[in-house]
Every structure is written in C-alpha cells, then in structure tokens.
Amino acid sequence: MGEVESGKGLNQELGLARAANTRWGSHYKSFNNFISMFGSITDVLDTIVVDSESVEEKAKATGYLKKEQDIANAILLVKVVKKRLQDLRNEGWDSLIENVSAFCVKYDILIPNFDEFYVNFGRSRCKVAEYTISHHYRVEVFFKIIDWQLQELNDRFNEVRTDLLIGVACLNPVDSFSSFDIKNILRMTELYPDDFGETVMVTLRNQLETYIVDVRDVDKRFSC
C-alpha cells in the first residue's frame, strides 16, 4: 500500500513476529509494531471480508474486526465454559441419550441395544469389542470430545497466559484505574525474570503504590 518503507531489514523491524515467552522486550516490540501498523491491519481485514473467496477467512477477519471483550471478562467466560463442559461430562450423558432416543423414535430411526457388545466395522472384517455399545459412545466418543475441548482451552489459557492477561487487564485506565491490582501486576512481572530481578521487584511495588495514589486521589487529570 506504500505506507511502509521497504528495504533490507526494514520489513523485519515492522513485522508482527511472534513474541518470545520469557522476554518482555519482545512483547513490547510486537505491541509497538501492532500500534504503528494498526490502520493498515484493519484495511487488510476489511479487504479480506469483502474480497476473499474463502468463507473461513471471511469469518475470521470479521471476528478480528469486532469489538473485543474486556480481558478480565473474557477470562471469566473461559472459566464458565470450562465449568459447563465439566458439568456436561459429569452429568450430561443421560439427558443426551434421552434426547437422541426421542429423536430416533420421532423419525423412525433404529435405536441400538446399548447393552450389547460394540462391533467395530473395520475395512477388513468386523471385530466384536470387549465393551458395550453404551461404553463406546459414552467413553470413546462423548468423553473424548469434551476432554479434547477442555484440553484445547487449557492449552490456550494455561495458568501463565491467564496470569499475564489478568495483569494486563489491571492496567485498564477506565474509572481512574479501578481495575488496578498490585498483586496481579507483580505476578505478571514474575513471568519475566530476565527483565525483573528481586531488587527491581521491590522498587516496582513501591512505584506502583505511589502511582495508584497519584492517579486515583491526587492528579485530577485522570478523573476526566
């Protein structure tokens, strides 16, 4: 688009590279580049929504352009989803079978005898398993799908990433930094031991305590 100067090394400086896990500086560089290129990024996403032939790409681009959930609220929603999935795993099987059975009766679909042994219809020959049809669909299908979904959420929102997101959410300046929480911010800095040593952490706590008194009670410019 002519908005980014090209040349050897220049594109790398403004690229949206994946941030390293243990260096805060790499995160800062990624965020800074993202801010610098924000206008171009949204233009590209708009173009994808209009011109892309892929329905999946259109849907992803549309999702990125929508207003994001507050980080703290998003983390809460992730916990809610995990809880509902776990409840479904523990207590949802019987109601699912009732609904499936009712559907089969309504549309005259044969319902298997769940107490019979499961038969694996492979390519070469049929093989009778040592477990029932009920066990197969409950353990090998129902549980596995839910476990896969839970594992996916745990991988994307593990403890470290969750602590990082909560720490970032604490820096929200809305309502005179009402979300500010020193404990969560310090926990976020603990994730970057190469950048925040023990002495720096002591100094940082004192600076944070001074800062929040300033923005909440002293400097009236933050209340505007």
Side-chain angles (χ1 to χ4, degrees):
M1 298 175 63
E3 296 180 6
V4 178
E5 184 179 357
S6 61
K8 185 177 181 180
L10 292 176
N11 290 331
Q12 287 83 349
E13 287 298 316
L14 284 177
L16 295 178
R18 183 183 299 274
N21 292 328
T22 58
R23 297 293 300 182
W24 175 255
S26 67
H27 287 265
Y28 172 77
K29 181 179 179 180
S30 296
F31 291 146
N32 194 48
N33 288 353
F34 181 82
I35 293 171
S36 299
M37 301 173 64
F38 184 77
S40 298
I41 291 171
T42 54
D43 288 342
V44 171
L45 290 174
D46 283 328
T47 302
I48 293 174
V49 172
V50 175
D51 297 335
S52 177
E53 297 180 356
S54 169
V55 175
E56 183 179 359
E57 286 184 356
K58 284 177 177 286
K60 285 184 177 181
T62 301
Y64 291 142
L65 287 170
K66 286 182 180 181
K67 183 178 180 181
E68 295 293 332
Q69 289 273 358
D70 174 78
I71 293 177
N73 188 47
I75 293 298
L76 178 62
L77 291 176
V78 169
K79 293 180 179 179
V80 170
V81 171
K82 288 182 180 180
K83 178 66 165 58
R84 293 203 61 187
L85 284 173
Q86 189 62 53
D87 290 344
L88 179 64
R89 190 186 193 282
N90 295 338
E91 304 171 2
W93 172 252
D94 291 338
S95 61
L96 174 64
I97 290 300
E98 290 178 3
N99 291 334
V100 171
S101 298
F103 179 88
C104 291
V105 171
K106 181 178 179 179
Y107 293 98
D108 196 25
I109 299 173
L110 179 64
I111 302 176
N113 183 351
F114 286 96
D115 293 329
E116 293 181 353
F117 285 106
Y118 174 76
V119 178
N120 184 10
F121 295 94
R123 291 184 178 181
S124 58
R125 61 177 182 174
C126 299
K127 182 179 180 181
V128 179
E130 296 181 354
Y131 48 81
T132 63
I133 294 175
S134 175
H135 174 90
H136 170 75
Y137 285 109
R138 184 168 183 258
V139 177
E140 300 298 324
V141 179
F142 183 69
F143 284 174
K144 279 193 174 181
I145 290 175
I146 294 178
D147 289 344
W148 174 80
Q149 292 176 320
L150 287 170
Q151 185 62 50
E152 184 77 9
L153 286 171
N154 287 330
D155 289 343
R156 291 179 178 270
F157 298 94
N158 57 33
E159 183 180 356
V160 172
R161 291 178 180 175
T162 300
D163 287 346
L164 177 60
L165 289 172
I166 291 175
V168 172
C170 291
L171 302 176
N172 190 338
V174 173
D175 297 329
S176 298
F177 290 82
S178 59
S179 300
F180 192 93
D181 187 289
I182 293 177
K183 179 181 177 181
N184 288 330
I185 295 175
L186 291 176
R187 169 56 186 154
M188 179 175 62
T189 60
E190 290 173 358
L191 302 177
Y192 301 92
D194 292 338
D195 298 289
F196 298 91
E198 183 176 350
T199 303
V200 175
M201 291 288 286
V202 174
T203 304
L204 179 60
R205 173 181 286 276
N206 180 59
Q207 290 175 336
L208 291 172
E209 291 173 349
T210 301
Y211 180 75
I212 200 58
V213 171
D214 181 25
V215 299
R216 283 182 179 172
D217 304 324
V218 179
D219 196 334
K220 300 304 179 184
R221 291 176 297 176
F222 288 98
S223 62
C224 297

